[in-house]
């Protein structure tokens, strides 16, 4: 049985650096796109620790036993994929902030959703956003936003170069399972679909960056040269990740942990690093696919 879990960031998420340059403490990024993501290993470890607390006798068998007392590790009954971007918040001078997405993110999502009516819509949007010399009908964005101009962080979109997302679009039905952040997520008024390249550029601009310094012992002065910059995926971002359970002839031996897994993946979980600073709180909803 396979599932899709939608993860709405209630607080910024620091996913752990895939690399570190100088004093920049970066975040995990995909090798081919440089987009931020939440590694499946991080999620699996957190979820396992929660379930080991709840069901210590079943969690090892369900996730796979670790090397212990000379015994070999065993294969588990569950798998998790990486959590990748679906919706990303961007500051707007005209609309406070908006959510952006692109055909790449939507196509990745639909690979697991397998919504046959959504597939041709995404293809149509991809072609419409492909502005080149052969496509005079191309648009800068496809939006649900009203107004003659849309001011994004680092971009200006004019109404004449925009297409509208239809009010009856199959996209809205497909997005109904996404958590709304306690009513914050207003996609029918605040969604902008951009080209893949434009979306990636705005993500890079929109990542949260903070500078931290170390203070001298017993003094409120900066310890010389002791500072670092930390990146984080901002709150209000929506990611998704696939996961599934493997068939097992003795599922009754791990039934409690299976039931609890579905429960916690429809609840709030704290992922990533800097937990003591409140980073990584998420609201989650899970749907079978």
């Amino acid at each position: 049985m396979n599932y899709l879990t939608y993860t709405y960031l209630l607080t910024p998420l620091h996913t752990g650096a895939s690399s570190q340059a100088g004093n920049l403490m970066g975040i995990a990024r995909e090798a081919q796109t440089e987009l931020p993501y939440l590694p499946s290993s991080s999620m699996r470890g957190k979820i396992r620790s929660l379930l080991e607390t709840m069901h210590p006798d079943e969690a090892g068998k369900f996730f796979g036993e670790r090397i212990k007392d000379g015994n070999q590790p065993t294969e588990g009954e569950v798998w998790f994929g990486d959590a990748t971007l679906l919706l990303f918040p961007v500051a707007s001078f005209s609309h406070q902030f908006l959510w952006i997405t692109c055909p790449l993110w939507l196509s990745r999502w639909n690979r697991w959703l397998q919504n046959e009516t959504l597939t041709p819509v995404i293809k149509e949007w991809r072609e419409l956003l492909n502005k080149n010399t052969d496509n005079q009908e191309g648009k800068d964005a496809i939006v649900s936003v009203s107004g003659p101009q849309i001011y994004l962080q680092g971009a200006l979109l004019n109404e004449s170069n925009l297409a509208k997302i239809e009010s009856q679009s199959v996209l809205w039905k497909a997005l109904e399972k996404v958590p709304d952040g306690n009513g914050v997520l207003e996609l029918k008024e605040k969604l902008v679909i951009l080209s893949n390249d434009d979306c990636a550029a705005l993500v890079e601009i929109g990542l949260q960056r903070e500078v931290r310094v170390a203070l001298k012992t017993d003094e409120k002065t900066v310890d010389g040269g002791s500072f670092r910059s930390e990146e984080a995926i901002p709150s209000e971002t929506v990611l998704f990740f696939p996961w599934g359970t493997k068939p097992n002839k003795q599922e009754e031996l791990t039934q409690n942990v299976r039931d609890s897994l579905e429960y916690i993946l429809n609840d709030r979980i704290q992922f990533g690093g800097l937990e003591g600073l409140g980073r990584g709180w998420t609201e989650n909803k899970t749907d079978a696919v």
Side-chain angles (χ1 to χ4, degrees):
M1 189 70 177
N2 292 334
Y3 302 86
L4 264 184
T5 294
Y6 299 98
T7 298
Y8 188 108
L9 300 190
L10 302 175
T11 61
L13 172 67
H14 180 80
T15 58
S18 55
S19 63
Q20 184 166 335
N23 288 328
L24 175 62
M25 187 176 177
I27 54 179
R29 294 175 180 266
E30 297 176 353
Q32 76 279 26
T33 66
E34 288 291 312
L35 292 170
Y37 76 106
L38 176 57
S40 57
S41 57
S42 177
M43 292 186 297
R44 181 187 177 92
K46 177 64 176 187
I47 293 168
R48 177 170 185 153
S49 69
L50 292 173
L51 291 175
E52 282 180 336
T53 302
M54 300 167 68
H55 308 287
D57 297 331
E58 295 184 17
K61 178 176 177 56
F62 185 65
F63 284 92
E65 298 289 357
R66 299 186 176 100
I67 298 176
K68 186 178 180 181
D69 299 329
N71 296 323
Q72 292 298 311
T74 61
E75 185 177 357
E77 302 173 13
V78 63
W79 62 269
F80 293 90
D82 296 329
T84 55
L85 294 173
L86 179 59
L87 303 166
F88 189 88
V90 174
S92 168
F93 298 118
S94 56
H95 297 79
Q96 189 180 30
F97 70 94
L98 303 168
W99 283 272
I100 61 172
T101 189
C102 62
L104 172 62
W105 302 357
L106 295 173
S107 295
R108 285 178 161 185
W109 171 47
N110 201 37
R111 283 192 302 215
W112 294 99
L113 201 62
Q114 299 183 47
N115 186 326
E116 294 182 357
T117 58
L118 185 58
T119 300
V121 174
I122 298 173
K123 181 180 179 181
E124 177 186 341
W125 288 342
R126 182 183 296 109
E127 293 172 352
L128 190 60
L129 292 168
N130 182 23
K131 294 191 70 175
N132 55 46
T133 54
D134 299 324
N135 183 16
Q136 300 299 327
E137 300 299 321
K139 298 294 184 180
D140 290 336
I142 304 161
V143 304
S144 66
V145 185
S146 60
Q149 291 182 318
I150 301 173
Y151 292 86
L152 294 177
Q153 188 174 5
L156 172 61
L157 305 175
N158 292 309
E159 189 174 25
S160 59
N161 292 322
L162 304 177
K164 282 288 187 178
I165 304 174
E166 297 178 2
S167 60
Q168 301 302 317
S169 174
V170 296
L171 177 66
W172 303 129
K173 180 68 175 178
L175 288 170
E176 285 182 353
K177 296 292 185 179
V178 175
D180 67 0
N182 199 30
V184 174
L185 191 68
E186 299 175 317
L187 293 180
K188 288 190 175 181
E189 292 79 34
K190 289 195 169 189
L191 180 61
V192 179
I193 303 173
L194 299 166
S195 70
N196 297 338
D197 290 343
D198 289 344
C199 214
L202 286 175
V203 167
E204 195 60 35
I205 294 172
L207 289 175
Q208 183 166 315
R209 295 178 176 89
E210 295 180 353
V211 176
R212 301 193 184 281
V213 298
L215 300 180
K216 293 181 180 179
T217 305
D218 300 326
E219 294 183 32
K220 295 297 184 180
T221 57
V222 176
D223 193 354
S226 243
F227 77 94
R228 70 178 187 272
S229 297
E230 295 173 352
E231 283 186 328
I233 304 173
S235 61
E236 321 310 331
T237 299
V238 177
L239 304 98
F240 71 94
F241 65 91
W243 63 278
T245 53
K246 304 172 185 177
N248 191 305
K249 294 181 180 179
Q250 296 181 310
E251 288 185 8
E252 67 277 3
L253 299 180
T254 57
Q255 192 58 53
N256 290 326
V257 74
R258 287 170 179 265
D259 293 342
S260 294
L261 175 60
E262 289 194 40
Y263 172 78
I264 66 174
L265 287 179
N266 284 283
D267 199 6
R268 294 186 175 186
I269 308 176
Q270 193 176 18
F271 289 119
L274 305 177
E275 290 185 353
L277 299 178
R279 297 289 187 264
W281 276 109
T282 66
E283 178 184 345
N284 300 275
K285 282 189 179 180
T286 298
D287 191 31
V289 293

